[in-house]
Amino acid sequence: MTTQPSYSIAIHGGAGNHRQQSSREALIEYSLRGVLTQGRALLDAGGTALDTVVHCTRLLEDDPLYNAGYGAVPNCAGRFELEASVMDGRTLKAGAVTNVDNIRNPVELARRIMDQTAHVMLAGRGAAEFAAANRLASASQTYFQEGWRKHATTDKDAYGTVGAVARDRHGDLAAATSTGGQVDKLPGRVGDSPLIGAGNYADNDGCAVSCTGWGEDFMRTALAAQVCFLISRQNFDAHAAARAAIETLVSKVNGNGGFILVDRIGKIATAASSASLRCGWIEHGGEIKTALQASIRIARAAS
Ligand code: ASP
């Protein structure tokens, strides 16, 4: 009897300086477990990493606990502008969307852009028109306002972007990330989450990675691509690559945030410079694990 190759998946609900052990953290842990259970079902049945990361990210977008989709945070003008991206590590195809204000699941739109256009990213009105032409579910600003009200707190660090990375039984990798961006961001601001190579990246030769934190820091260091190249070109293992990349984030720009990754052999690593990184994973088809902190932590200087 031959055994089927195993699968791995990791998801996150954002980095920050969240207060630990609050009732919110318990809800998040419960939610992460639920999403991982669904991710496992797909991967266990031979589903692709790509379908799995999109599905899991969509579930997280629909949960008002997170800063993505329904629970997205408003910009300084009180409007909700969402962003997301997805990348297929087998083909290096990618899709991304930014500055959309009426799409229920931005990650679905990113996937559609990847699959059905010759482009990687659409923004604003063009993205909305493409979504409407493809009959993707729309959502009003009132919908996002309602989600936001459900989790609004005075603690600006409590909100978390979402993401998922997976390696399927075929050995293919994929990554997806979705966010409402920073609380009180300027209208039109683009963060790292929809930028391939900054907040999201996947290459079967290296790893799949999804980042969260102060987006400008990840953009300035091309962090997601850096982590991947450490594995694909320098032969680092998952943990060494995660450690080196988070050290770079801190030493170069005193960056704030973290990331999850799954490498080409299904090893998972989590790293952060922030106090918390809400995450969960299944490595090589094993138990569901969750954590409120990254396993590798390099503290940044207080600012
Ligand atoms: N990285 C996101 C952004 O800067 C925010 C976050 O991850 O919390 O838009």
Side-chain angles (χ1 to χ4, degrees), residues 15 67 83 159 161 179 181-182 189 191-193 211-216:
N67 170 16
E83 319 184 277
Y159 307 117
T161 288
T179 189
Q182 289 160 357
R189 179 260 187 184
D192 62 316
S193 307
C211 304
T212 170
W214 191 257
E216 283 71 7

Side-chain angles (χ1 to χ4, degrees), residues 174-246:
T177 305
S178 182
T179 189
Q182 289 160 357
V183 190
D184 289 341
K185 67 185 179 182
L186 288 175
R189 179 260 187 184
V190 176
D192 62 316
S193 307
L195 297 184
I196 301 303
N200 199 67
Y201 202 74
D203 178 352
N204 276 7
D205 291 339
C207 70
V209 54
S210 171
C211 304
T212 170
W214 191 257
E216 283 71 7
D217 299 338
F218 290 80
M219 291 151 80
R220 291 161 64 208
T221 51
L223 202 92
Q226 274 213 51
V227 185
C228 189
F229 295 161
L230 286 170
I231 297 173
S232 63
R233 301 207 180 143
Q234 312 266 348
N235 237 5
F236 280 44
D237 66 28
H239 284 263
R243 176 169 288 279
I246 207 73

Side-chain angles (χ1 to χ4, degrees), residues 28-95:
I28 285 173
E29 193 189 339
Y30 182 78
S31 150
L32 293 175
R33 283 187 177 274
V35 173
L36 283 168
T37 301
Q38 292 211 29
R40 182 202 287 284
L42 288 174
L43 290 168
D44 201 41
T48 66
L50 189 57
D51 286 344
T52 305
V53 297
V54 171
H55 180 74
C56 290
T57 304
R58 191 173 62 70
L59 294 174
L60 294 164
E61 285 177 340
D62 287 341
D63 189 330
L65 280 171
Y66 307 104
N67 170 16
Y70 188 38
V73 302
N75 65 19
C76 67
R79 287 192 66 78
F80 299 86
E81 291 183 331
L82 288 72
E83 319 184 277
S85 63
V86 62
M87 187 161 187
D88 179 357
R90 188 174 65 82
T91 59
L92 297 197
K93 281 182 144 191

Side-chain angles (χ1 to χ4, degrees), residues 277-289:
L277 177 70
R278 298 140 155 174
C279 54
W281 62 92
I282 297 169
E283 191 174 64
H284 298 308
E287 294 294 302
I288 291 180
K289 302 264 174 61

